[in-house]
Amino acid sequence: MRSLTLRRFPLCSFFTKDIRRRRPCHNFSAAQSRQVAELSEQEHRLLHRLYGGLIQGQRACLAEAITLIESSHGRKKELAQVLLQKVLSYHREQELLNNGKPLAFRVGLSGPPGAGKSTFIECFGKMLTGKGHRVSVLAVDPSSSTSGGSLLGDKTRMTELSKDMNAYIRASPTRGTLGGVTRTTNEAILLCEGGGYDVVLVETVGVGQSEFAVADMVDMFVLLLPPAGGDELQGIKRGIIEMADLVAVTKADGDLLVPARRLQAEYISAMKLLRKRSKIWKPEVLRIAARYGEGIVEMWDKMTTFRDLMLSSGELQRRRSRQQSVWMWNLIQENVLEHFRNHPAVCDQIPLIEGKVLNGLLSPGLAADLLLKAFSARD
Ligand SMILES: Nc1nc2c(ncn2[C@@H]2O[C@H](COP(=O)(O)OP(=O)(O)OP(=O)(O)O)[C@@H](O)[C@H]2O)c(=O)[nH]1
């Protein structure tokens, strides 16, 4: 028993409004109440405060709610899910009022270190808030889990935008697996949308697996490429270029204008040969100079054309639903694998069997069979 608990609320009381309005929420709350113990009065108050503040657009509540979903503490994780479900039903309600159109445009931004991402986001974000949009920037930086420092999301990178009351900038947690980062980023996107941010930018460094994960959680994936980056560009995988709905060659000014034009031409030809990601949209390659604010409005125009086309054809909605199922299976895969690796029936045998595979004494297939058999016979 928690000492602070005075009174216990059944979980469904947090959903009362939904229960009256729609059956699906009722069903959901019943399903969830089987998994989450009843809320204490203190927890109930916390969730109400966060939810109320969040949907009124208070940045402090959004920040606290994201911290809750990032928590690794068991009970906090449960509370985060209750809050998230509440935000999701608010979402559905708002989307219905919006004729079924999504509340926010989710844009993924990737590019090698030094490509000019923060300069672009600063300029692009200010342009959007100037047009009356509310912009949130979520930075996914799995590399920081090994380096210990946060490369992205550092507010000093976007000094002007971080002072803007219509913008919210947040770095992803600097620990955990890519799957963990993916989960919290996905959930943070939903919270930002619940908080009234109608443009959500998800930034990632163009190295490792993170950009694939980000491409799978946004409506549009944009790749920023620096003009004179022979070496950096080598590291960009063909797969990630195939994911791009739009490519922007950055720093197209001064001495870099000529190489920027050359790179743009190269990418225009190269992208013709790549596999198409969408049936109705042909990825384009633009040139921008964010330092001077050049090409930024044109880029937004291109992005809104994309969004409108994808919306009217229904492709955006299909992309979003496919992403939901990809996300679910990724989480299942990760959890099942972790369960397998840590299970007492197999964890002691893994080093031994893997050692035999490494020394060529056991085939990988037989080794996998042995471990899986031990796991299936665990009870
Ligand atoms: N000439 C020129 N330089 C630019 C432009 N945009 C960015 N830069 C410069 O390029 C360098 C890298 O820019 P950033 O915006 O920090 O790049 P980034 O991709 O965020 O870099 P990381 O934080 O390392 O990932 C800085 O020195 C910028 O001043 C531009 O439009 N023109």
Side-chain angles (χ1 to χ4, degrees), residues 75-146:
R75 182 61 179 168
K76 286 190 181 159
K77 273 162 92 173
E78 288 180 353
L79 294 179
Q81 289 310 310
V82 178
L83 178 66
L84 204 65
Q85 284 306 327
K86 181 76 180 160
V87 174
L88 269 177
S89 40
Y90 171 75
H91 243 261
R92 276 194 297 270
E93 219 167 79
Q94 297 297 310
E95 277 191 0
L96 282 178
L97 292 174
N98 200 27
N99 295 324
K101 282 197 200 137
L103 298 181
F105 185 27
R106 305 170 183 169
V107 178
L109 284 173
S110 186
K117 294 180 293 300
S118 44
T119 310
F120 168 75
I121 293 174
E122 172 103 325
C123 177
F124 185 66
K126 291 294 293 175
M127 182 270 295
L128 289 176
T129 57
K131 282 178 181 283
H133 292 282
R134 296 188 74 223
V135 181
S136 59
V137 181
L138 299 170
V140 178
D141 181 13
S143 60
S144 58
S145 61
T146 43

Side-chain angles (χ1 to χ4, degrees), residues 172-238:
S172 70
T174 54
R175 59 183 162 66
T177 58
L178 182 61
V181 172
T182 311
R183 180 186 185 136
T184 49
T185 309
N186 259 307
E187 293 175 347
I189 292 176
L190 295 173
L191 293 178
C192 289
E193 295 178 4
Y197 291 87
D198 63 328
V199 180
V200 181
L201 303 176
V202 188
E203 179 196 9
T204 180
V205 188
V207 286
Q209 287 296 309
S210 65
E211 61 274 76
F212 288 99
V214 167
D216 253 329
M217 54 176 104
V218 293
D219 302 324
M220 179 175 209
F221 186 68
V222 178
L223 195 56
L224 298 183
L225 300 176
D231 285 349
E232 291 120 320
L233 295 187
Q234 294 300 316
I236 303 226
K237 293 177 212 74
R238 181 193 166 104

Side-chain angles (χ1 to χ4, degrees), residues 111-120 151-152 157 203 205 250-254 256 288-292:
K117 294 180 293 300
S118 44
T119 310
F120 168 75
L151 194 63
L152 295 176
R157 295 164 73 237
E203 179 196 9
V205 188
T250 56
K251 312 184 199 181
D253 54 69
L256 292 172
I288 57 167
R291 184 185 278 177
Y292 305 101

